[in-house]
Amino acid sequence: MLSRTASASPGPPPAAPSKRDKALCHRGLKDTPSLDQCVPTCANIARTDQHATGLRRRATALDQQAGHVPGPLGERLRDNATRLRDLADTHHHTRISLQDGTA
């Protein structure tokens, strides 16, 4: 199941169909998008349910780490965890999936 949403997922990168005019990662610097320069708001990104699950797992790990570090760093980790959960929630609410009997 794919969702045309932003990416910040750990692990394998989300599917990014190469549409040069929409790729925010190259901005005229090269002919093809660059996965190491992904921009979370890029229209080329399509996330799977597995990516969203990975985002939630990473968020949980960040929350656990936040409990073991001092104030500002812990807050930053919690903020990042919230951001990852928001991305996963957006995927869940905007994903495109096959309905039973339509395939």
Side-chain angles (χ1 to χ4, degrees):
M1 293 173 215
L2 295 176
S3 167
R4 306 251 335 141
T5 57
S7 168
S9 60
S18 180
K19 292 187 179 178
R20 186 171 194 259
D21 59 324
K22 296 182 187 242
L24 298 177
C25 58
H26 78 83
R27 291 289 186 193
L29 301 176
K30 49 183 157 173
D31 289 336
T32 59
S34 177
L35 292 177
D36 65 335
Q37 297 295 318
C38 276
V39 177
T41 56
C42 184
N44 276 343
I45 294 173
R47 182 179 290 118
T48 67
D49 289 349
Q50 291 173 331
H51 289 115
T53 299
L55 289 170
R56 290 187 194 286
R57 273 190 288 234
R58 179 68 179 142
T60 298
L62 290 174
D63 278 336
Q64 290 172 349
Q65 289 176 351
H68 301 288
V69 295
L73 182 56
E75 289 175 29
R76 191 175 324 148
L77 289 171
R78 281 186 283 281
D79 288 345
N80 282 329
T82 298
R83 183 179 55 83
L84 294 178
R85 281 193 191 90
D86 289 346
L87 289 171
D89 289 344
T90 298
H91 165 78
H92 178 73
H93 295 297
T94 62
R95 69 185 181 168
I96 299 168
S97 61
L98 293 174
Q99 300 296 320
D100 291 342
T102 59

